[in-house]
Amino acid sequence: MSAAWLRACALVMIGLFSGAALAKTPTAIVVGGGLAGLTAAYELQGKGWQVTLLEAKSGMGGRSGLATSEWIGNSKAQPTLNQYLDTFKISTQPAPEFVRTPGYLIDGEYFSSTDLATKQPATAEALKRYEKTLDDLARSIDDPQNPAANSTLFALDQLNVSTWLDKLQLPTTARQLVNQQIRTRYDEPSRLSLLYFAQQTRVYRGVSDRDLRAARLPGGSPVLAQAFVKELKTIKTSSPVSAITQDKDGVTVKVGSVGYQADYVVLAVPLRALAKIQMIPGLDNQHLAALKGTNYGWRDQLLLKFKSPVWESRARMSGEIYSNTGLGMLWIEPALKGGANVVINLSGDNARLLQAFGDKQMVDQVLIRLHAFYPQARGAFTGYEVRRYSTDANMGGAYLAYGPGQISKFWRLWERPVQRVIFAGEHTDALYPGTLEGALRSGQRAAGQVQDLAAGKSFDPAKAATVAGAAATAAAASKGNFFSNMFGGSSDKPAKAVDTSKQEESKPGLFKRMFGSDDKPAAQPEAKAADAAPAPVAASAPVSTPAVAPVAKEEAVKPAPAKAPAKQAPVKKPVAKADQAKKTAAKATAPVNKATVKAEPAKKPVANIQAKAQ
Ligand SMILES: Cc1cc2nc3c(=O)[nH]c(=O)nc-3n(C[C@H](O)[C@H](O)[C@H](O)COP(=O)(O)OP(=O)(O)OC[C@H]3O[C@@H](n4cnc5c(N)ncnc54)[C@H](O)[C@@H]3O)c2cc1C
């Protein structure tokens, strides 16, 4: 065979191979079957990619709440969500008028916004003042995608929301309601970056409560998840990913002893879950710090089922209601066969403190408080469901809620791919973190980035914020009028406010904090933002653990007074008792707790996080 002939054959072969390579269907693995992962997979598949979705659990949909008929926003509040609902022809029902504005449960008495203005004008006025001040703060952010645009705004990131609220000097009830709203939407005010709070308020500026609760989605977000699932070709459930290796040619994703290979991987898992996946090569220090330190809000949900609506005669409990007695945000769910369900959201430190309770104990505690307001509650009670997001290893928290100093360090970090690894999930969305909208948007963005990478586009490496330098300028800036204006005082120094560790730590009893009138957080956030928000597991062992159970039992079986006036303190009675019992038991357990804390320095941040919640 001549050399020329051989060369010709070789060229033909090369041509064939490269032709085959060109024709090869691009492949992607998506890790995580929540709405972010589902969106990324759906969008990639739609663009001709071969996608394999790996989900750790046996079911799909990730963090979907207990709500069987979720309130959702209209296209002004949640455009991407509404777009997918249209795509999948999922119908919604318009929300009744009375749920489109918030309600309040003050010492057991229900108030609509209008009632509040006439019956509790001081509280209503204070809430207005708070909203106006917050709006002023939000307006100071020009671009919510770049909230720390200048040193003054940067300085807001070093403060926590509680400090700012203190300066407003709201009357007690108004402050309790504000605290409850913030901890339900985000996290405990004392754990939340003021800049994040302002940025989120800026994002939703012009979006009213009416837009936010415009419709009901029958079946809740799982219905949307199922619509995605139906479209996807390859889904592997019960497949927890343990390691991801990437090189210049592709990625290998490990599930047990099985390795899946693809061109790219989309990691759509929450940060705590991501921290458990071994990355080869490893992530850089900034990513590792974000994995360890980014604060997640805590929110657990209880669905209490009743034979009949026990609250009807006392209050119209519908829509979203903020309680000033630690019952969290609650709303009525449709129930079958004439029953009545109420969803109670325990958020922020209230949720953290209850981690040590068993489900039944937790339900008992809530039922006691509800029973105090609605004396038929215990008799009509038929059962419950509890969902705890914060201690679920695959979830690791309810949703992202930046703590003080964290925007400065981690802003939009997860929007940038690390070579062949692309991140998705509510926590990666700059505008709508912590929401369905954010999860869906992040899935779309991730799918687009995979396409861009395949087309040869490169993304800038993450730019670490030079915290020290910016903090210095921020401190300088703080001497101006901005903070005085913000806080209404004359000598506010933001740098000082971040050091919350030295703030008073008056510790009212657990139940007083949880359900009583004193709405001080259990403790204070970490002094240094860098140490804030350790892993949620760490935050789970409230010192009061043993104190609570006996009280819960004792109280749970006690019949309620037949005519407890709603406004009175039927709630305070159990509170006081619980408090006392807690103190006694806390004494008994004190050495154990101390020993634990001392023996495990790693838990130091935990103690702090306990200190600190839509
Ligand atoms: C109590 C509560 C109430 C909420 N209410 C609302 C609301 O009213 N409106 C709203 O818009 N939003 C609400 N949200 C927020 C919304 O539910 C979330 O933002 C959204 O569901 C997050 O989706 P995700 O895909 O980012 O994450 P997830 O849904 O958490 O999905 C991540 C998935 O990854 C999987 N996973 C984790 N680790 C691995 C692994 N190693 N290998 C494979 N898979 C893994 C998990 O099992 C999970 O299925 C609420 C959230 C909570 C917790």
Side-chain angles (χ1 to χ4, degrees), residues 107-108 314 370-375 560-571:
D107 299 334
R314 314 279 301 265
L370 211 58
H371 187 84
F373 300 137
Y374 308 109
K563 278 188 183 176
K567 275 202 96 176
Q568 252 181 15
V571 76

Side-chain angles (χ1 to χ4, degrees), residues 295-545:
N295 186 53
Y296 268 56
W298 278 40
R299 175 159 158 186
D300 293 326
Q301 285 186 325
L302 281 73
L303 179 73
L304 303 187
K305 303 175 185 178
F306 298 92
K307 273 187 273 195
S308 52
V310 295
W311 45 82
E312 224 164 40
S313 59
R314 314 279 301 265
R316 193 175 51 184
M317 298 229 293
S318 280
E320 288 180 326
I321 301 171
Y322 295 105
S323 145
N324 74 326
T325 53
L327 281 176
M329 180 182 69
L330 35 95
W331 70 81
I332 304 304
E333 282 287 305
L336 299 172
K337 295 181 191 161
N341 294 345
V342 59
V343 171
I344 309 246
N345 291 262
L346 292 170
S347 317
D349 286 350
N350 290 348
R352 285 180 176 91
L353 284 163
L354 282 181
Q355 291 311 307
F357 283 54
D359 289 356
K360 172 130 194 339
Q361 290 172 308
M362 189 159 150
V363 168
D364 269 346
Q365 287 304 322
V366 170
L367 203 53
I368 288 166
R369 271 77 205 170
L370 211 58
H371 187 84
F373 300 137
Y374 308 109
Q376 292 141 16
R378 287 210 71 82
F381 179 66
T382 56
Y384 64 87
E385 287 173 40
V386 172
R387 204 161 290 175
R388 302 181 188 235
Y389 303 87
S390 312
T391 48
D392 182 326
N394 291 318
M395 314 280 172
Y399 28 65
L400 175 118
Y402 283 115
Q406 296 182 351
I407 290 192
S408 315
K409 286 193 240 161
F410 309 134
W411 186 244
R412 302 185 76 169
L413 177 65
W414 301 102
E415 267 183 56
R416 288 176 291 256
V418 174
Q419 284 93 46
R420 290 176 178 270
V421 179
I422 298 92
F423 303 96
E426 55 84 13
H427 60 282
T428 67
D429 194 65
L431 296 182
Y432 302 93
T435 65
L436 301 172
E437 181 72 12
L440 298 166
R441 276 168 46 101
S442 78
Q444 288 185 335
R445 190 252 313 132
Q449 287 178 320
V450 171
Q451 289 261 97
D452 286 347
L453 285 167
K457 185 176 169 183
S458 66
F459 289 83
D460 287 344
K463 281 182 213 133
T466 51
V467 179
T473 31
S478 72
K479 287 181 185 137
N481 285 333
F482 182 81
F483 285 94
S484 324
N485 296 340
M486 234 49 310
F487 294 104
S490 56
S491 63
D492 301 299
K493 289 186 182 122
K496 201 173 175 187
V498 77
D499 186 5
T500 51
S501 66
K502 295 195 184 76
Q503 287 173 4
E504 46 78 41
E505 265 203 39
S506 72
K507 288 195 176 175
L510 167 66
F511 291 101
K512 193 158 187 209
R513 287 195 308 274
M514 293 260 335
F515 304 109
S517 58
D518 190 342
D519 202 31
K520 289 242 160 72
Q524 293 296 321
E526 179 55 311
K528 287 177 202 152
D531 298 331
V537 183
S540 63
V543 278
S544 51
T545 309

Side-chain angles (χ1 to χ4, degrees), residues 30-39 53-67 70-73 78 81 184 204 212 221 236 238-243 253-255 267-270 272-274 276-277 296-301 320 329 331 343 345-347 387-390 392-400 424-428 432-440 442-443 614:
V30 175
V31 183
L35 281 169
L38 286 165
T39 310
L53 193 152
L54 302 171
E55 162 59 43
K57 296 203 163 183
S58 56
M60 303 288 289
R63 264 172 284 179
S64 25
L66 266 176
E70 223 153 295
W71 301 118
I72 57 164
Q78 297 182 302
L81 172 61
T184 311
Y204 290 99
L212 286 171
S221 55
K236 293 185 187 298
S238 304
S239 301
V241 168
S242 56
V253 177
K254 281 206 95 176
V255 176
L267 257 173
V269 304
R272 306 287 180 244
L274 204 158
K276 294 191 168 81
I277 298 175
Y296 268 56
W298 278 40
R299 175 159 158 186
D300 293 326
Q301 285 186 325
E320 288 180 326
M329 180 182 69
W331 70 81
V343 171
N345 291 262
L346 292 170
S347 317
R387 204 161 290 175
R388 302 181 188 235
Y389 303 87
S390 312
D392 182 326
N394 291 318
M395 314 280 172
Y399 28 65
L400 175 118
E426 55 84 13
H427 60 282
T428 67
Y432 302 93
T435 65
L436 301 172
E437 181 72 12
L440 298 166
S442 78
Q614 186 171 326

